[in-house]
Amino acid sequence: MTRAKFLPLRDESDRLSCRLLTAFVGLLWAATVCLAADPAVRQITVDGKQSWVDTGLDVQPGDMVKIEATGSLKYSDAAQSSGPEGLARGWKDLIRVLPVNDAGRGALIGRIGSEGSARPFFIGERRESRMPVAGRLFVGLNSGSSTAEGEYKLTIQVTSRAKDTETEFKGVLPPITEAELAQIPRRVVDKDGNEGDRINFLVVGTEEQVKQALLGVGWVVVDRSVRDTLLRGALGTLSKQAYLTMPMSELMVFDRAQDYGFAMSDPIQTVMARHHFRIWKAPFTVGGLTLFVGAGTHDIGFDKDQRNGNITHKIDPDTDLEREYIGETLKQSGQVVKLDYVTPKDTVTKAKTAHGEEFHSDGRILVVYLKPENGDVSEQFSDYFCSVLAQNNPDGEELGSCSKWLQTPGKSDMKLGEISKDYRILIVPGIMNTCVADTPAYDKGRKVLTEKYGLTTELLSVPNDSSEANAKAIASFIQEKMKDDKRKFIVVGYSKGTPDLQVALAQEPGVKENVAAFISTAGASGGSPVADSLPMQLDAYLSKVKQGKCQGNLAEGFKSLKKDVRQRFLASYPHPQVPTYSLAAVTTAETVPKTAAQTFRMLSAWDKYNDSQLLKLDQIIPESKYLGVVNSDHLNVALSMGSTFPRAALLEATVRFVIDDLSKSGVVKPAETTKNEPKKKGWADGFGQ
């Protein structure tokens, strides 16, 4: 392991001198001296023969760190050079041991700490994000054992240090009582009732929190059956997760099979070794919070199943090691506020698995408390939606109760007044919107907002191009509109319109300054496995097909929806640029349209919560305010395709809610801000900082 070299400042006067020298002399050497001397800014070189480089930088939870990289590497067996983003993945990557599952070989990566539980993360050309945990920052290459010629040059800057008061959790966490422990089985059982692994950890947090925390630190969801494996294959990518997600046998707790199985391992070793666990949602809550019960073991080889003589995995008999590993990796997510232990009166310290292996434990159960959610406003939003639907019914149809359309039904007697005209609404629809121009997104809802409430609403039909190309079109549109009207926009992204707007807000000048808020409805923020499934011949095929009235390059548009592309963007820009709100859509096997039934079934191999095009988790923008879930397939949320859905009520409710929320949060309207009067600070401040 290599340690970076840098020159520390002697005192504050040295730092001031450096900054003045750079500002007023403007010489390259002066700027370089300052970068090297400032402990918050340092330059590091990572060459192709290094594994991990110690940056010498210790970070704390909440610190904002920006890393920018340039340069190239050349692997002897690769036709192309690699930049910090890494090489495009190929089939050989399936048998390579790379630290970050979904990143290409040669990508710049990082990690906090040197312990075995420290999970590597993708950096690429640029990443600016809050550090989730405390520790020493290391940077390295996603190369495994292979080396390359060349180097990357990095500039690492701590843009802000977190204050203890910003990261310290001050809430009250409910203890696990003896009565609650008594309701939790001590061990799992197989389908024949044979007792197996012990319950060795508990997680207190919502289902979405648990999945996001685990997926964020490298755990992957394991297939429930061979059928799921085949369905994943139908929508599969060249990912090393294919080894890791092979089916895990179903075991029982609370008289039902596990809700999820998770695994983590280097793929080349997965055939015989992997960290893995199963979790079950408890049929009761702890202090009103959701509880998950887990059983984790570490596969370390193969053994003979004493029940039937077949070959099965051999586990590490010290199951406490896996318990601690699960807890430590979860801490890397930055979502853990407390680790605790409980010991039941009838605890298990020594036993045999269902297939006859002995294991032992100190008898304690780890309790992992995740940070209680403060961005979930689904209950408040449901009051808006239910009241708009019941009192105004802007769709003009008989649509029934709001509980039919919203997973968190609310009150319908909320007082509804006029909608403020201090903002204007811009809707950016999804891919192929120009192909169905006769069915524009939220058509009736926009007309109601304009004709009934006098709002300025516009639809920007971007072409089927990359999110980067469409971001430039969005920026040009907004800048042109601001010439005659200084009111800020509330932008609404539907489907691919969401990543198009995310890129515009993050990368295009003059966009976030003129946007008051961003609403995502069924937005592809995290990408989609459906886009990953497109055939490799897509480029050549679509270039030959006459796409009629469709505008743009569909191949480039679909590439922007690939999960690895969107996840890389989120890694580089993990924090919203403006106040942001996410509304997800979820359908079911009973309600999904026949035309979308196949993709729904395939996506269900990943997660049953999907809208036939996107997984629910991929529709929720990190750090956004969560508005909840509508009961709908992907298209029906915004497009009138012959199926009934209260689209106009949904748009009116989201606009009402966001305008009111901006007002409550202290966001000042443009007309209220003067040169001599500083802007009030509120909820939006801190975004993009």
Side-chain angles (χ1 to χ4, degrees):
M1 187 176 294
T2 306
R3 177 153 186 170
K5 297 180 180 179
F6 62 96
L7 178 65
L9 289 172
R10 292 188 299 272
D11 53 35
E12 185 62 29
S13 64
D14 281 354
R15 180 180 300 182
L16 179 60
S17 298
C18 256
R19 291 175 177 170
L20 290 173
L21 185 62
T22 302
F24 292 105
V25 179
L27 296 177
L28 178 61
W29 63 266
T32 303
V33 169
C34 283
L35 285 173
D38 191 338
V41 182
R42 56 196 66 196
Q43 291 182 325
I44 292 171
T45 297
V46 180
D47 70 46
K49 296 180 175 61
Q50 293 174 300
S51 54
W52 289 102
V53 177
D54 182 349
T55 67
L57 179 64
D58 292 315
V59 298
Q60 296 297 321
D63 287 353
M64 286 290 292
V65 177
K66 180 169 68 174
I67 304 174
E68 296 176 310
T70 59
S72 64
L73 303 177
K74 183 66 173 68
Y75 292 92
S76 59
D77 60 346
Q80 304 293 327
S81 295
S82 166
E85 295 290 311
L87 293 167
R89 296 186 61 83
W91 67 269
K92 287 185 179 180
D93 290 312
L94 290 173
I95 57 174
R96 289 194 176 101
V97 181
L98 302 179
V100 178
N101 256 342
D102 292 330
R105 187 165 57 139
L108 180 67
I109 59 176
R111 77 180 188 204
I112 301 173
S114 56
E115 300 81 8
S117 59
R119 303 310 306 166
F121 54 85
F122 175 77
I123 295 174
E125 292 181 349
R126 181 191 184 280
R127 181 186 178 107
E128 183 172 8
S129 60
R130 289 189 179 90
M131 298 295 98
V133 293
R136 178 62 60 86
L137 176 64
F138 294 85
V139 292
L141 302 176
N142 200 41
S143 297
S145 59
S146 58
T147 61
E149 297 297 324
E151 63 183 22
Y152 296 149
K153 291 187 179 296
L154 285 61
T155 298
I156 304 177
Q157 179 180 6
V158 179
T159 56
S160 68
R161 289 284 190 182
K163 299 177 182 178
D164 292 339
T165 55
E166 294 175 349
T167 58
E168 182 183 354
F169 176 72
K170 298 179 180 179
V172 177
L173 298 171
I176 306 295
T177 66
E178 284 293 336
E180 290 160 348
L181 272 178
Q183 299 179 64
I184 300 172
R186 297 292 164 257
R187 299 170 66 186
V188 306
V189 296
D190 65 13
K191 61 182 180 180
D192 297 319
N194 299 309
E195 289 188 309
D197 306 333
R198 67 183 295 269
I199 299 300
N200 56 1
F201 73 98
L202 309 173
V203 183
V204 180
T206 68
E207 187 170 347
E208 287 75 21
Q209 279 183 297
V210 173
K211 287 191 290 187
Q212 285 176 335
L214 290 167
L215 295 173
V217 294
W219 291 92
V220 298
V221 178
V222 177
D223 299 333
R224 297 181 66 92
S225 64
V226 174
R227 174 181 175 273
D228 280 357
T229 298
L230 295 175
L231 288 173
R232 277 187 188 250
L235 286 179
T237 61
L238 291 174
S239 169
K240 297 189 299 179
Q241 292 184 4
Y243 289 87
L244 209 53
T245 60
M246 292 300 289
M248 185 186 292
S249 60
E250 293 192 336
L251 297 175
M252 312 292 285
V253 172
F254 302 126
D255 297 320
R256 71 174 196 277
Q258 67 264 21
D259 294 309
Y260 295 99
F262 284 89
M264 178 187 290
S265 162
D266 287 326
I268 202 167
Q269 300 171 332
T270 303
V271 175
M272 64 178 296
R274 65 176 175 178
H275 299 277
H276 73 286
F277 63 84
R278 300 168 177 84
I279 56 173
W280 296 259
K281 186 177 181 179
F284 57 90
T285 61
V286 174
L289 301 177
T290 305
L291 175 69
F292 281 89
V293 173
T297 56
H298 184 196
D299 290 340
I300 57 174
F302 294 116
D303 199 6
K304 183 179 180 180
D305 190 330
Q306 297 180 22
R307 295 169 299 183
N308 50 35
N310 294 333
I311 298 297
T312 187
H313 279 99
K314 178 181 179 63
I315 68 165
D316 186 331
D318 187 349
T319 57
D320 293 348
L321 296 177
E322 189 68 359
R323 176 190 70 193
E324 302 306 308
Y325 183 81
I326 293 167
E328 288 302 314
T329 55
L330 270 170
K331 281 176 61 178
Q332 290 283 318
S333 71
Q335 298 302 307
V336 175
V337 294
K338 183 181 179 182
L339 294 179
D340 200 2
Y341 294 90
V342 291
T343 304
K345 293 179 179 178
D346 55 345
T347 192
V348 175
T349 58
K350 185 180 291 187
K352 289 185 178 182
T353 65
H355 50 80
E357 283 190 80
E358 291 189 354
F359 65 84
H360 57 84
S361 166
D362 63 12
R364 295 186 301 166
I365 297 175
L366 174 68
V367 184
V368 181
Y369 289 92
L370 298 183
K371 188 183 301 180
E373 290 186 329
N374 57 10
D376 187 342
V377 293
S378 56
E379 291 188 6
Q380 298 94 304
F381 173 72
S382 66
D383 291 344
Y384 279 77
F385 175 77
C386 294
S387 296
V388 167
L389 184 64
Q391 299 175 35
N392 295 349
N393 189 18
D395 295 273
E397 304 176 56
E398 181 55 48
L399 294 165
S401 168
C402 67
S403 60
K404 178 180 178 181
W405 308 110
L406 202 62
Q407 288 192 1
T408 308
K411 303 173 184 176
S412 59
D413 58 354
M414 180 179 178
K415 184 178 180 180
L416 300 172
E418 291 295 313
I419 304 176
S420 171
K421 302 181 185 65
D422 292 311
Y423 306 98
R424 44 196 169 146
I425 313 302
L426 172 63
I427 296 173
V428 180
I431 197 165
M432 300 187 74
N433 73 89
T434 58
C435 308
V436 288
D438 54 341
T439 311
Y442 295 114
D443 187 37
K444 182 176 287 188
R446 287 188 292 111
K447 290 178 180 176
V448 169
L449 291 178
T450 300
E451 296 172 4
K452 182 176 180 179
Y453 298 106
L455 271 66
T456 301
T457 63
E458 300 189 70
L459 177 75
L460 178 58
S461 295
V462 292
N464 301 309
D465 284 330
S466 69
S467 288
E468 286 69 26
N470 285 351
K472 294 185 183 300
I474 293 168
S476 177
F477 179 90
I478 288 178
Q479 289 166 3
E480 185 64 28
K481 292 293 180 179
M482 292 301 295
K483 292 178 181 179
D484 300 321
D485 188 341
K486 298 303 180 184
R487 291 178 299 165
K488 289 188 176 184
F489 285 93
I490 292 175
V491 294
V492 181
Y494 161 65
S495 191
K496 183 175 174 288
T498 285
D500 290 353
L501 280 164
Q502 285 179 293
V503 175
L505 286 162
Q507 297 181 355
E508 294 299 321
V511 177
K512 70 178 181 181
E513 296 84 357
N514 294 312
V515 170
F518 172 27
I519 305 168
S520 173
T521 59
S525 173
S528 171
V530 175
D532 291 342
S533 72
L534 294 175
M536 297 178 68
Q537 302 89 342
L538 184 66
D539 286 338
Y541 174 76
L542 289 178
S543 65
K544 297 176 182 178
V545 174
K546 291 184 178 180
Q547 298 175 22
K549 56 187 176 181
C550 297
Q551 300 174 16
N553 186 327
L554 273 171
E556 291 301 314
F558 278 115
K559 284 180 184 177
S560 287
L561 291 172
K562 290 170 66 72
K563 282 188 67 68
D564 63 334
V565 174
R566 297 273 48 88
Q567 294 301 326
R568 287 190 184 190
F569 173 84
L570 290 174
S572 297
Y573 302 95
H575 311 297
Q577 308 294 314
V578 298
T580 300
Y581 305 78
S582 295
L583 182 69
V586 169
T587 189
T588 64
E590 294 72 33
T591 58
V592 66
K594 291 182 180 180
T595 54
Q598 183 176 4
T599 53
F600 170 78
R601 286 194 297 269
M602 290 176 176
L603 285 176
S604 295
W606 273 268
D607 196 329
K608 63 182 178 180
Y609 301 118
N610 71 81
D611 67 359
S612 78
Q613 299 297 316
L614 299 168
L615 304 178
K616 175 187 172 183
L617 282 182
D618 289 331
Q619 300 176 52
I620 302 172
I621 298 175
E623 300 185 16
S624 64
K625 287 196 173 183
Y626 174 58
L627 298 179
V629 176
V630 293
N631 300 318
S632 172
D633 66 279
H634 185 73
L635 294 179
N636 206 33
V637 172
L639 304 176
S640 179
M641 307 289 284
S643 299
T644 300
F645 186 79
R647 283 171 287 273
L650 186 67
L651 182 63
E652 180 180 330
T654 54
V655 169
R656 283 181 178 275
F657 179 87
V658 169
I659 289 177
D660 285 354
D661 195 55
L662 291 176
S663 176
K664 294 174 185 176
S665 302
V667 176
V668 180
K669 299 183 288 294
E672 296 177 348
T673 304
T674 68
K675 292 182 180 179
N676 298 321
E677 189 176 311
K679 177 181 174 181
K680 284 171 62 181
K681 287 192 174 182
W683 183 83
D685 294 284
F687 277 87
Q689 299 300 310

